[in-house]
């Protein structure tokens, strides 16, 4: 057997390549995408770290004036506290530092507020005049009253003006102080009479010798909220309107409670209008019972009797002479009249004067009646009721609307009259009619979605920035980094040529072409094509990779 002639062919020998060689073997586009993706991921990571260290911002002080906002931000800059300025004078700091920052700012006397109180007396200058001291005290008192009034829930802001006259030594010439209060109410809020009276008494009690009648309260529209009671015709106040509304609502509620069990729920509409008299009147009358008739009862209260008697001197009578100068002889007959003097007595021939007076006082009945009419008297009631048609279901289950009869309406009208206390002499009116209701399909108000609730909005705001950055990181990884890593995994440089002995008689294996670094799909297509066209060469390459070298002996 002849010695076989061995020839050498270049085959690919597996090698271990470094990261740099694989990266350089990648296509330029893949290298650029992988580099940009890694840089973007690093930037997102840095942004997430900064956002986590920065924390959530919360409101430190809302509705600050420009002066207070500037002072607060300057103090925050000195304390090295990060802050943000929002609209309407709102200063925001990290949520974890809100309590500490408020304590530190309060120690520094911030915020001072747009209204200054008695702290103005702390900055008194040496050598100020009495007028300046009194003016400073007045400004401080006005500021304290403004702070107290603005603490009310319905008051947004207020201004207080005090007129404090100078006191002199003459008591009769002393002028009384007065005050004026201008209120700016919050949107949709009003003050009732009791609240206005509370503001008036707050101001009057804070200023010595200030009469509550000398305090005027106005709102932002210029309406005078205080009344002195001297002009009752100024119209109904809020309390009276509330009373009228309560009376009308009470009568309407009675109608609903009585008729709904008869006509069914949502088949009735009722309204009551009440005319209420708030005027005040007072009447005084005196009555005497006449002293006449059989049933008259008269009693004597007092009686006084006076008698007075007198006489003039007796005149001489009879025949002049000795007989007339004789003493009287004794009486020979009894006394017949007490008022007649005895014959021959000293009163005989004298003129008598007798006077008698009697005064009698009787008890007479007397009645004094004082009548005060109560306020809030119902003068007239008007009730209007609308009843829906009656629903009737036939044997087939079909429901139809049937109007009410005249007798049914009459019964309902009688029930409404009894419910509201109908009085014909008062002028009350009741009207009950039957009409079909037009039912419109109205979508019920759904509950507030979770993404509109305040708590959910706060959570979304806190997670908005991290979520957005995380989404950007995912998109960068899927669009740039992942394709680059795939290209990096399949990319390798061509191996160096190797010598392998082969049998002379057998055909030499085809040299392995130097594969470029195409895309993954193109590379696989080329490998499949080579395996179909020259399977022997592919088998030899695989055999050389697996380390199994075998020399085939020649024939003969």
């Amino acid at each position: 057997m002849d010695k076989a002639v061995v020839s050498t062919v270049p085959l690919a020998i597996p090698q271990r390549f470094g990261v740099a060689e694989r990266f350089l073997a990648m296509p330029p586009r893949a290298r650029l995408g992988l580099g940009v993706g890694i840089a973007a991921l690093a930037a997102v990571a840095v942004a997430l770290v900064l956002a986590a260290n920065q924390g959530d911002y919360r409101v430190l002080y809302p509705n600050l004036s420009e002066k207070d906002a500037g002072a607060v931000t300057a103090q925050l800059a000195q304390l090295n506290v990060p802050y943000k300025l929002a609209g309407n004078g709102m200063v925001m700091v990290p949520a974890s530092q809100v309590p500490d920052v408020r304590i530190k700012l309060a120690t520094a006397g911030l915020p001072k507020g747009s209204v200054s109180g008695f702290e103005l007396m702390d900055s008194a200058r040496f050598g100020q005049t009495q007028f300046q001291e009194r003016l400073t005290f007045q400004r401080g008192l006005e500021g304290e009253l403004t702070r107290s009034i603005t603490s009310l829930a319905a008051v947004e802001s207020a201004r207080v003006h005090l007129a404090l006259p100078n006191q002199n030594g003459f008591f009769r010439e002393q002028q009384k102080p007065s005050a004026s209060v201008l209120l700016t109410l919050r949107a949709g809020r009003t003050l009732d009479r009791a609240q206005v009276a509370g503001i008036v008494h707050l101001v009057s009690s804070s200023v010595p010798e200030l009469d509550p009648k000398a305090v005027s309260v106005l709102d932002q529209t210029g309406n005078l909220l205080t009344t002195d009671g001297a002009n009752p015709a100024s119209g109904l106040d809020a309390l009276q309107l509330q009373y009228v509304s309560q009376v009308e609502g009470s009568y309407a509620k009675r109608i609903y409670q009585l008729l709904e069990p008869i006509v069914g729920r949502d088949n009735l509409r009722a309204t009551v209008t009440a005319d209420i008299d708030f005027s005040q009147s007072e009447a005084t009358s005196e009555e005497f019972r006449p002293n006449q008739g059989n049933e008259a009862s008269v009693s004597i209260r007092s009686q006084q009797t006076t008698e007075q008697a007198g006489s003039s001197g007796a005149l001489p009578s009879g025949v002049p002479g000795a007989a007339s100068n004789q003493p009287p002889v004794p009486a020979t007959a009894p006394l017949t009249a007490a008022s007649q003097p005895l014959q021959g007595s000293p009163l005989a021939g004298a003129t008598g004067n007798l006077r008698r007076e009697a005064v009698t006082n009787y008890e007479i009945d007397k009645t004094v009646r004082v009548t005060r009419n109560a306020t809030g008297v119902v003068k007239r009631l008007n009730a209007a009721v609308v009843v829906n048609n009656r629903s009737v279901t036939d044997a087939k289950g079909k429901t139809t609307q049937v109007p009410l009869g005249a007798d049914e309406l009459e019964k309902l009208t009688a029930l409404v009259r009894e419910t509201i206390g109908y009085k014909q002499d008062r002028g009350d009116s009741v009207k009950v009619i039957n009409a079909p209701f037009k039912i419109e399909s109205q979508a019920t108000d759904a509950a507030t979605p979770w993404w509109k609730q305040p708590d959910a909005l706060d959570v979304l705001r806190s997670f908005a920035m991290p979520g957005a950055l995380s989404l950007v990181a995912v998109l960068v990884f899927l669009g740039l980094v992942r394709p680059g890593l795939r290209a990096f995994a399949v990319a390798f440089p061509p191996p160096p040529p190797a010598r392998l002995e082969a049998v002379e008689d057998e055909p030499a294996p085809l040299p392995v072409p130097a594969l470029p670094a195409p895309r993954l799909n193109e590379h696989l297509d080329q490998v499949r094509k080579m395996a179909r066209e020259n399977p022997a060469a592919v088998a030899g390459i695989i055999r050389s990779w697996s380390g199994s070298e075998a020399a085939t002996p020649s024939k003969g």
Side-chain angles (χ1 to χ4, degrees):
M1 178 182 295
D2 297 336
K3 191 175 182 180
V5 179
V6 180
S7 62
T8 60
V9 294
L11 293 177
I13 304 299
Q15 297 181 8
R16 293 178 177 240
F17 306 115
V19 177
E21 289 79 1
R22 284 182 175 272
F23 183 77
L24 294 176
M26 293 172 57
R29 184 176 180 180
R31 289 199 303 266
L32 179 61
L34 182 60
V36 172
I38 294 175
L41 288 179
V44 170
V46 172
L48 287 174
V49 172
L50 293 178
N53 294 333
Q54 190 176 13
D56 186 18
Y57 276 79
R58 295 297 176 90
V59 177
L60 180 64
Y61 293 112
N63 301 326
L64 292 178
S65 62
E66 296 181 357
K67 182 177 180 181
D68 288 339
V72 169
T73 53
Q75 188 68 22
L76 293 177
Q78 294 181 1
L79 297 175
N80 295 326
V81 176
Y83 63 88
K84 292 182 180 179
L85 292 178
N88 299 327
M90 184 182 301
V91 180
M92 304 178 65
V93 297
S96 59
Q97 301 183 15
V98 170
D100 297 338
V101 171
R102 285 182 178 176
I103 294 176
K104 293 179 181 179
L105 292 179
T107 305
L110 295 175
K112 296 181 179 180
S114 58
V115 179
S116 301
F118 282 132
E119 61 269 13
L120 293 175
M121 305 296 295
D122 298 336
S123 59
R125 295 174 298 177
F126 179 76
Q128 63 180 0
T129 61
Q130 184 179 3
F131 173 77
Q132 293 176 346
E133 183 179 358
R134 185 169 58 86
L135 184 61
T136 303
F137 173 76
Q138 180 176 346
R139 289 178 56 195
L141 183 58
E142 291 176 351
E144 294 294 334
L145 290 175
T146 301
R147 291 176 178 176
S148 300
I149 294 174
T150 52
S151 62
L152 299 177
V155 179
E156 181 177 357
S157 62
R159 295 192 66 182
V160 179
H161 303 277
L162 299 178
L164 304 178
N166 295 327
Q167 303 296 332
N168 50 35
F170 300 96
F171 180 77
R172 294 182 179 179
E173 297 181 359
Q174 295 289 349
Q175 296 181 0
K176 298 296 182 180
S178 60
S180 300
V181 181
L182 178 61
L183 302 178
T184 301
L185 303 180
R186 300 185 185 277
R189 304 296 293 271
T190 58
L191 294 177
D192 57 14
R193 186 165 59 183
Q195 291 175 323
V196 175
I199 294 175
V200 170
H201 284 278
L202 172 66
V203 177
S204 61
S205 301
S206 302
V207 180
E209 298 183 1
L210 178 58
D211 190 359
K213 297 182 179 179
V215 180
S216 301
V217 181
L218 290 82
D219 60 3
Q220 67 270 23
T221 60
N223 295 326
L224 182 64
L225 303 181
T226 55
T227 56
D228 54 359
N231 185 18
S234 59
L236 300 181
D237 57 6
L239 187 60
Q240 293 174 349
L241 293 175
Q242 183 180 4
Y243 177 74
V244 173
S245 178
Q246 290 177 355
V247 171
E248 294 176 349
S250 176
Y251 284 115
K253 185 178 180 181
R254 294 180 185 177
I255 296 174
Y256 276 101
Q257 290 178 349
L258 184 64
L259 298 186
E260 275 189 348
I262 301 176
V263 299
R265 189 177 180 85
D266 296 334
N267 291 326
L268 177 70
R269 296 293 184 272
T271 180
V272 178
T273 304
D275 185 6
I276 299 179
D277 184 14
F278 291 98
S279 60
Q280 298 180 357
S281 61
E282 181 177 349
T284 305
S285 62
E286 294 185 1
E287 297 179 358
F288 298 90
R289 188 166 62 178
N291 188 15
Q292 297 177 0
N294 297 328
E295 298 180 358
S297 176
V298 181
S299 60
I300 298 176
R301 181 176 61 181
S302 63
Q303 186 176 10
Q304 182 179 1
T305 303
T306 304
E307 293 185 2
Q308 183 178 2
S311 63
S312 58
L315 296 177
S317 61
V319 180
S324 59
N325 295 327
Q326 296 282 332
V329 297
T332 58
L335 184 61
T336 58
S339 61
Q340 296 180 359
L342 296 176
Q343 187 177 3
S345 65
L347 296 178
T351 303
N353 186 10
L354 179 62
R355 182 180 180 184
R356 178 180 295 173
E357 294 182 358
V359 178
T360 304
N361 296 323
Y362 297 93
E363 291 287 355
I364 302 176
D365 293 342
K366 178 181 179 182
T367 303
V368 178
R369 182 177 291 106
V370 179
T371 304
R372 293 185 179 90
N373 294 332
T375 60
V377 179
V378 178
K379 296 175 60 178
R380 184 179 180 183
L381 289 176
N382 299 325
V385 181
V386 181
V387 182
N388 191 15
N389 290 341
R390 184 175 62 254
S391 299
V392 178
T393 305
D394 56 8
K396 297 181 180 180
K398 184 179 180 181
T399 303
T400 58
Q401 300 291 331
V402 179
L404 300 180
D407 55 344
E408 294 179 344
L409 290 178
E410 186 62 28
K411 292 179 181 179
L412 295 178
T413 303
L415 289 176
V416 173
R417 288 178 179 176
E418 295 298 328
T419 302
I420 66 174
Y422 175 82
K423 293 182 180 180
Q424 186 176 1
D425 55 351
R426 194 172 57 183
D428 297 349
S429 65
V430 175
K431 188 67 175 179
V432 179
I433 65 173
N434 173 225
F437 286 6
K438 184 178 180 181
I439 307 299
E440 297 180 356
S441 59
Q442 297 179 355
T444 58
D445 295 337
T448 304
W450 64 270
W451 50 271
K452 287 186 178 181
Q453 297 178 0
D455 297 339
L457 291 177
D458 293 340
V459 174
L460 291 176
R461 292 191 189 97
S462 60
F463 287 98
M465 182 62 69
L469 294 177
S470 301
L471 180 60
V472 171
V474 171
L475 294 177
V476 169
F477 179 79
L478 296 178
L480 297 176
V481 178
R482 184 178 178 183
L485 292 177
R486 286 182 177 179
F488 179 80
V490 300
F492 53 88
R499 308 293 296 180
L500 183 63
E501 296 180 354
V503 181
E504 182 180 3
D505 298 338
E506 295 182 358
L510 297 176
V512 179
L515 299 178
R519 294 181 180 179
L520 180 60
N521 295 333
E522 297 177 358
H523 178 71
L524 294 176
D525 293 340
Q526 292 179 2
V527 171
R528 294 190 185 99
K529 183 179 180 180
M530 182 181 298
R532 288 193 301 268
E533 293 177 355
N534 197 348
V538 174
I541 294 175
I542 294 175
R543 191 181 302 112
S544 65
W545 286 352
S546 60
S548 57
E549 293 186 11
T552 304
S554 61
K555 295 180 181 181

